[in-house]
Amino acid sequence: MISVYVTSSFANAGKTSAIAAIASILQEHHLEIAYFKPIINQVGPVTADNDTALISRYFNLGENPDTIRTVYSDEDALLGGIKDVCKVLCTGKDILFIEGIPGNIKLARDISEIIDAAVIGVEVYRTDYQEIQNQHESVKNHAGIIFNKIPQSRLSITKENIMSCGMKILGMVPEERTLISLTVKELADNLDGKLISVEERSTDMITNFMIGAMTPTHGSEYYNIKKDKAVIINSERPDMQLAALETPTRCLVLTGVKQVSSIVLRQAEAKKVPVITVDDTINNIVKKIEEMITCRYLNTERLNRTIAVFKKYMDTESLLSGLSIR
């Protein structure tokens, strides 16, 4: 049985995504996967974790999500219970992934020593390469690092700098628009909105977002700045909506409770642009969209895209070697 603790210096680095990609690779080698996500929470309620349930379903783990996600009062409680968790989850499995607590390299070291776990780091693009190396290589059984969200323009120089430090690199994943994109339907569902027209385009991908211009005078010029976009506009401004429809637009998101203009609906149908209505403020909608595209939100479709991108840039040979898998 192999245990793998996946850690990062900061939250939202892509640990869940990396685990899913590595698990997919290992399943192709006919290995049975187990997964565990500890939570340390000293006070206050613990929020729901949709990612844990998704990983459980996606890989057919056969475990209740409440079993693979356990809340501990502090680090000592986690360290004291980690062996028991391994015994329960590892029965009949070949490899256990533990999604670590971000920003806690000491905890990674402790767990690595207690259960003899290999440790994989997932780090977002940074330039303090030597510090990253020193942190991770202080851990027992350090298997390597996956660098994530590297700007395309910095990919070559980042590779040169990282290689010069002599790090164990398992993958270098550039920023990909597909990983921060949403389908029209995903957007509607997660905004609690209604898709009221052109439903056949619900699977179209949205890669940009814009808020309606304050005045329609230069509306078309403004909306032409971005393509493949969703435009968020107050439902009381059909002039702005019509201006947006004159440019490459994937969907309109109309906020408020005012009925949508029939002229706008006809134009949207003619342009094959879906219209989503949301009874909420623009500010709230923007906050929800920001949360969706910072990898705090996964569903099966997005996880499939994420796994494909990670696998494309993973060094499978180094991964298997780092985990002592032949």
PDB file of all heavy atoms in Angstrom, residues 279-300:
ATOM      1  N   ASP A 279     -32.281  36.644 -10.584  1.00  0.00           N
ATOM      2  CA  ASP A 279     -32.855  37.590  -9.628  1.00  0.00           C
ATOM      3  C   ASP A 279     -31.818  37.884  -8.545  1.00  0.00           C
ATOM      4  O   ASP A 279     -31.881  37.378  -7.430  1.00  0.00           O
ATOM      5  CB  ASP A 279     -34.131  37.014  -9.019  1.00  0.00           C
ATOM      6  CG  ASP A 279     -34.838  38.013  -8.105  1.00  0.00           C
ATOM      7  OD1 ASP A 279     -34.415  39.190  -8.075  1.00  0.00           O
ATOM      8  OD2 ASP A 279     -35.792  37.607  -7.414  1.00  0.00           O
ATOM      9  N   ASP A 280     -30.830  38.677  -8.900  1.00  0.00           N
ATOM     10  CA  ASP A 280     -29.752  39.006  -7.971  1.00  0.00           C
ATOM     11  C   ASP A 280     -29.084  40.286  -8.459  1.00  0.00           C
ATOM     12  O   ASP A 280     -29.354  40.764  -9.564  1.00  0.00           O
ATOM     13  CB  ASP A 280     -28.737  37.856  -7.901  1.00  0.00           C
ATOM     14  CG  ASP A 280     -27.961  37.837  -6.578  1.00  0.00           C
ATOM     15  OD1 ASP A 280     -27.975  38.856  -5.864  1.00  0.00           O
ATOM     16  OD2 ASP A 280     -27.341  36.800  -6.271  1.00  0.00           O
ATOM     17  N   THR A 281     -28.184  40.825  -7.644  1.00  0.00           N
ATOM     18  CA  THR A 281     -27.480  42.046  -8.021  1.00  0.00           C
ATOM     19  C   THR A 281     -26.249  41.704  -8.865  1.00  0.00           C
ATOM     20  O   THR A 281     -25.713  40.590  -8.793  1.00  0.00           O
ATOM     21  CB  THR A 281     -27.031  42.829  -6.788  1.00  0.00           C
ATOM     22  OG1 THR A 281     -26.049  42.055  -6.078  1.00  0.00           O
ATOM     23  CG2 THR A 281     -28.202  43.112  -5.860  1.00  0.00           C
ATOM     24  N   ILE A 282     -25.782  42.688  -9.622  1.00  0.00           N
ATOM     25  CA  ILE A 282     -24.576  42.484 -10.423  1.00  0.00           C
ATOM     26  C   ILE A 282     -23.387  42.170  -9.519  1.00  0.00           C
ATOM     27  O   ILE A 282     -22.579  41.281  -9.822  1.00  0.00           O
ATOM     28  CB  ILE A 282     -24.300  43.719 -11.295  1.00  0.00           C
ATOM     29  CG1 ILE A 282     -25.346  43.804 -12.426  1.00  0.00           C
ATOM     30  CG2 ILE A 282     -22.892  43.670 -11.881  1.00  0.00           C
ATOM     31  CD1 ILE A 282     -25.186  44.999 -13.342  1.00  0.00           C
ATOM     32  N   ASN A 283     -23.264  42.865  -8.409  1.00  0.00           N
ATOM     33  CA  ASN A 283     -22.131  42.627  -7.503  1.00  0.00           C
ATOM     34  C   ASN A 283     -22.113  41.188  -7.001  1.00  0.00           C
ATOM     35  O   ASN A 283     -21.057  40.539  -6.967  1.00  0.00           O
ATOM     36  CB  ASN A 283     -22.179  43.588  -6.315  1.00  0.00           C
ATOM     37  CG  ASN A 283     -21.733  44.990  -6.678  1.00  0.00           C
ATOM     38  OD1 ASN A 283     -21.080  45.191  -7.705  1.00  0.00           O
ATOM     39  ND2 ASN A 283     -22.083  45.963  -5.851  1.00  0.00           N
ATOM     40  N   ASN A 284     -23.265  40.672  -6.605  1.00  0.00           N
ATOM     41  CA  ASN A 284     -23.331  39.298  -6.112  1.00  0.00           C
ATOM     42  C   ASN A 284     -22.997  38.295  -7.214  1.00  0.00           C
ATOM     43  O   ASN A 284     -22.327  37.285  -6.989  1.00  0.00           O
ATOM     44  CB  ASN A 284     -24.714  38.991  -5.537  1.00  0.00           C
ATOM     45  CG  ASN A 284     -24.934  39.630  -4.184  1.00  0.00           C
ATOM     46  OD1 ASN A 284     -23.973  39.984  -3.497  1.00  0.00           O
ATOM     47  ND2 ASN A 284     -26.183  39.781  -3.792  1.00  0.00           N
ATOM     48  N   ILE A 285     -23.482  38.586  -8.413  1.00  0.00           N
ATOM     49  CA  ILE A 285     -23.211  37.685  -9.539  1.00  0.00           C
ATOM     50  C   ILE A 285     -21.718  37.654  -9.842  1.00  0.00           C
ATOM     51  O   ILE A 285     -21.141  36.577 -10.067  1.00  0.00           O
ATOM     52  CB  ILE A 285     -24.016  38.127 -10.774  1.00  0.00           C
ATOM     53  CG1 ILE A 285     -25.500  37.823 -10.553  1.00  0.00           C
ATOM     54  CG2 ILE A 285     -23.512  37.436 -12.037  1.00  0.00           C
ATOM     55  CD1 ILE A 285     -26.411  38.400 -11.602  1.00  0.00           C
ATOM     56  N   VAL A 286     -21.076  38.807  -9.830  1.00  0.00           N
ATOM     57  CA  VAL A 286     -19.633  38.866 -10.092  1.00  0.00           C
ATOM     58  C   VAL A 286     -18.873  38.070  -9.044  1.00  0.00           C
ATOM     59  O   VAL A 286     -17.924  37.326  -9.361  1.00  0.00           O
ATOM     60  CB  VAL A 286     -19.155  40.326 -10.142  1.00  0.00           C
ATOM     61  CG1 VAL A 286     -17.625  40.395 -10.161  1.00  0.00           C
ATOM     62  CG2 VAL A 286     -19.729  41.033 -11.365  1.00  0.00           C
ATOM     63  N   LYS A 287     -19.255  38.172  -7.787  1.00  0.00           N
ATOM     64  CA  LYS A 287     -18.594  37.418  -6.719  1.00  0.00           C
ATOM     65  C   LYS A 287     -18.736  35.918  -6.935  1.00  0.00           C
ATOM     66  O   LYS A 287     -17.783  35.150  -6.751  1.00  0.00           O
ATOM     67  CB  LYS A 287     -19.178  37.813  -5.355  1.00  0.00           C
ATOM     68  CG  LYS A 287     -18.784  39.202  -4.886  1.00  0.00           C
ATOM     69  CD  LYS A 287     -19.449  39.538  -3.554  1.00  0.00           C
ATOM     70  CE  LYS A 287     -19.114  40.958  -3.113  1.00  0.00           C
ATOM     71  NZ  LYS A 287     -19.810  41.312  -1.837  1.00  0.00           N
ATOM     72  N   LYS A 288     -19.927  35.483  -7.340  1.00  0.00           N
ATOM     73  CA  LYS A 288     -20.142  34.055  -7.586  1.00  0.00           C
ATOM     74  C   LYS A 288     -19.298  33.563  -8.756  1.00  0.00           C
ATOM     75  O   LYS A 288     -18.747  32.456  -8.711  1.00  0.00           O
ATOM     76  CB  LYS A 288     -21.630  33.797  -7.854  1.00  0.00           C
ATOM     77  CG  LYS A 288     -22.520  33.947  -6.633  1.00  0.00           C
ATOM     78  CD  LYS A 288     -23.982  33.702  -6.990  1.00  0.00           C
ATOM     79  CE  LYS A 288     -24.894  33.859  -5.781  1.00  0.00           C
ATOM     80  NZ  LYS A 288     -26.325  33.644  -6.134  1.00  0.00           N
ATOM     81  N   ILE A 289     -19.209  34.361  -9.792  1.00  0.00           N
ATOM     82  CA  ILE A 289     -18.406  33.966 -10.957  1.00  0.00           C
ATOM     83  C   ILE A 289     -16.927  33.890 -10.581  1.00  0.00           C
ATOM     84  O   ILE A 289     -16.228  32.945 -10.976  1.00  0.00           O
ATOM     85  CB  ILE A 289     -18.622  34.951 -12.117  1.00  0.00           C
ATOM     86  CG1 ILE A 289     -20.048  34.809 -12.666  1.00  0.00           C
ATOM     87  CG2 ILE A 289     -17.608  34.704 -13.237  1.00  0.00           C
ATOM     88  CD1 ILE A 289     -20.435  35.856 -13.691  1.00  0.00           C
ATOM     89  N   GLU A 290     -16.444  34.849  -9.793  1.00  0.00           N
ATOM     90  CA  GLU A 290     -15.048  34.817  -9.357  1.00  0.00           C
ATOM     91  C   GLU A 290     -14.758  33.543  -8.578  1.00  0.00           C
ATOM     92  O   GLU A 290     -13.704  32.927  -8.730  1.00  0.00           O
ATOM     93  CB  GLU A 290     -14.743  36.041  -8.488  1.00  0.00           C
ATOM     94  CG  GLU A 290     -14.657  37.342  -9.280  1.00  0.00           C
ATOM     95  CD  GLU A 290     -14.474  38.546  -8.392  1.00  0.00           C
ATOM     96  OE1 GLU A 290     -14.696  38.418  -7.155  1.00  0.00           O
ATOM     97  OE2 GLU A 290     -14.131  39.627  -8.913  1.00  0.00           O
ATOM     98  N   GLU A 291     -15.712  33.126  -7.757  1.00  0.00           N
ATOM     99  CA  GLU A 291     -15.520  31.897  -6.985  1.00  0.00           C
ATOM    100  C   GLU A 291     -15.494  30.680  -7.893  1.00  0.00           C
ATOM    101  O   GLU A 291     -14.706  29.755  -7.704  1.00  0.00           O
ATOM    102  CB  GLU A 291     -16.632  31.750  -5.942  1.00  0.00           C
ATOM    103  CG  GLU A 291     -16.474  30.534  -5.063  1.00  0.00           C
ATOM    104  CD  GLU A 291     -17.443  30.526  -3.903  1.00  0.00           C
ATOM    105  OE1 GLU A 291     -17.763  31.607  -3.393  1.00  0.00           O
ATOM    106  OE2 GLU A 291     -17.882  29.425  -3.526  1.00  0.00           O
ATOM    107  N   MET A 292     -16.350  30.683  -8.903  1.00  0.00           N
ATOM    108  CA  MET A 292     -16.414  29.532  -9.812  1.00  0.00           C
ATOM    109  C   MET A 292     -15.128  29.338 -10.597  1.00  0.00           C
ATOM    110  O   MET A 292     -14.753  28.214 -10.904  1.00  0.00           O
ATOM    111  CB  MET A 292     -17.588  29.697 -10.780  1.00  0.00           C
ATOM    112  CG  MET A 292     -18.928  29.343 -10.195  1.00  0.00           C
ATOM    113  SD  MET A 292     -20.230  29.390 -11.457  1.00  0.00           S
ATOM    114  CE  MET A 292     -20.716  31.104 -11.381  1.00  0.00           C
ATOM    115  N   ILE A 293     -14.450  30.424 -10.950  1.00  0.00           N
ATOM    116  CA  ILE A 293     -13.292  30.306 -11.829  1.00  0.00           C
ATOM    117  C   ILE A 293     -11.973  30.310 -11.079  1.00  0.00           C
ATOM    118  O   ILE A 293     -10.916  30.378 -11.686  1.00  0.00           O
ATOM    119  CB  ILE A 293     -13.274  31.414 -12.900  1.00  0.00           C
ATOM    120  CG1 ILE A 293     -13.149  32.794 -12.273  1.00  0.00           C
ATOM    121  CG2 ILE A 293     -14.484  31.324 -13.790  1.00  0.00           C
ATOM    122  CD1 ILE A 293     -13.053  33.926 -13.294  1.00  0.00           C
ATOM    123  N   THR A 294     -11.994  30.197  -9.757  1.00  0.00           N
ATOM    124  CA  THR A 294     -10.752  30.097  -9.000  1.00  0.00           C
ATOM    125  C   THR A 294     -10.523  28.679  -8.509  1.00  0.00           C
ATOM    126  O   THR A 294      -9.832  28.451  -7.528  1.00  0.00           O
ATOM    127  CB  THR A 294     -10.755  31.053  -7.793  1.00  0.00           C
ATOM    128  OG1 THR A 294     -11.927  30.811  -7.005  1.00  0.00           O
ATOM    129  CG2 THR A 294     -10.704  32.493  -8.226  1.00  0.00           C
ATOM    130  N   CYS A 295     -11.129  27.700  -9.213  1.00  0.00           N
ATOM    131  CA  CYS A 295     -10.938  26.285  -8.905  1.00  0.00           C
ATOM    132  C   CYS A 295     -11.506  25.903  -7.548  1.00  0.00           C
ATOM    133  O   CYS A 295     -11.149  24.883  -6.981  1.00  0.00           O
ATOM    134  CB  CYS A 295      -9.474  25.871  -9.012  1.00  0.00           C
ATOM    135  SG  CYS A 295      -8.875  25.784 -10.701  1.00  0.00           S
ATOM    136  N   ARG A 296     -12.383  26.711  -6.976  1.00  0.00           N
ATOM    137  CA  ARG A 296     -13.119  26.272  -5.803  1.00  0.00           C
ATOM    138  C   ARG A 296     -14.371  25.519  -6.226  1.00  0.00           C
ATOM    139  O   ARG A 296     -15.087  24.976  -5.412  1.00  0.00           O
ATOM    140  CB  ARG A 296     -13.509  27.477  -4.938  1.00  0.00           C
ATOM    141  CG  ARG A 296     -12.331  28.092  -4.217  1.00  0.00           C
ATOM    142  CD  ARG A 296     -12.791  29.305  -3.451  1.00  0.00           C
ATOM    143  NE  ARG A 296     -12.008  30.459  -3.837  1.00  0.00           N
ATOM    144  CZ  ARG A 296     -12.307  31.688  -3.482  1.00  0.00           C
ATOM    145  NH1 ARG A 296     -13.365  31.917  -2.758  1.00  0.00           N
ATOM    146  NH2 ARG A 296     -11.546  32.687  -3.862  1.00  0.00           N
ATOM    147  N   TYR A 297     -14.602  25.502  -7.517  1.00  0.00           N
ATOM    148  CA  TYR A 297     -15.817  24.881  -8.038  1.00  0.00           C
ATOM    149  C   TYR A 297     -15.433  23.830  -9.077  1.00  0.00           C
ATOM    150  O   TYR A 297     -14.692  24.099 -10.007  1.00  0.00           O
ATOM    151  CB  TYR A 297     -16.702  25.952  -8.672  1.00  0.00           C
ATOM    152  CG  TYR A 297     -17.650  25.433  -9.716  1.00  0.00           C
ATOM    153  CD1 TYR A 297     -18.830  24.809  -9.336  1.00  0.00           C
ATOM    154  CD2 TYR A 297     -17.349  25.559 -11.068  1.00  0.00           C
ATOM    155  CE1 TYR A 297     -19.688  24.327 -10.290  1.00  0.00           C
ATOM    156  CE2 TYR A 297     -18.209  25.083 -12.024  1.00  0.00           C
ATOM    157  CZ  TYR A 297     -19.379  24.465 -11.634  1.00  0.00           C
ATOM    158  OH  TYR A 297     -20.232  23.982 -12.583  1.00  0.00           O
ATOM    159  N   LEU A 298     -15.883  22.602  -8.884  1.00  0.00           N
ATOM    160  CA  LEU A 298     -15.673  21.542  -9.855  1.00  0.00           C
ATOM    161  C   LEU A 298     -16.986  20.815 -10.083  1.00  0.00           C
ATOM    162  O   LEU A 298     -17.803  20.682  -9.176  1.00  0.00           O
ATOM    163  CB  LEU A 298     -14.632  20.536  -9.355  1.00  0.00           C
ATOM    164  CG  LEU A 298     -13.151  20.919  -9.408  1.00  0.00           C
ATOM    165  CD1 LEU A 298     -12.315  19.835  -8.735  1.00  0.00           C
ATOM    166  CD2 LEU A 298     -12.677  21.125 -10.830  1.00  0.00           C
ATOM    167  N   ASN A 299     -17.189  20.363 -11.299  1.00  0.00           N
ATOM    168  CA  ASN A 299     -18.226  19.383 -11.568  1.00  0.00           C
ATOM    169  C   ASN A 299     -17.611  18.364 -12.516  1.00  0.00           C
ATOM    170  O   ASN A 299     -16.438  18.455 -12.866  1.00  0.00           O
ATOM    171  CB  ASN A 299     -19.498  20.038 -12.139  1.00  0.00           C
ATOM    172  CG  ASN A 299     -19.246  20.711 -13.479  1.00  0.00           C
ATOM    173  OD1 ASN A 299     -18.210  20.521 -14.119  1.00  0.00           O
ATOM    174  ND2 ASN A 299     -20.189  21.524 -13.903  1.00  0.00           N
ATOM    175  N   THR A 300     -18.382  17.373 -12.916  1.00  0.00           N
ATOM    176  CA  THR A 300     -17.809  16.289 -13.708  1.00  0.00           C
ATOM    177  C   THR A 300     -17.210  16.792 -15.007  1.00  0.00           C
ATOM    178  O   THR A 300     -16.096  16.408 -15.390  1.00  0.00           O
ATOM    179  CB  THR A 300     -18.881  15.222 -14.001  1.00  0.00           C
ATOM    180  OG1 THR A 300     -19.382  14.715 -12.755  1.00  0.00           O
ATOM    181  CG2 THR A 300     -18.295  14.074 -14.803  1.00  0.00           C
TER     182      THR A 300
END
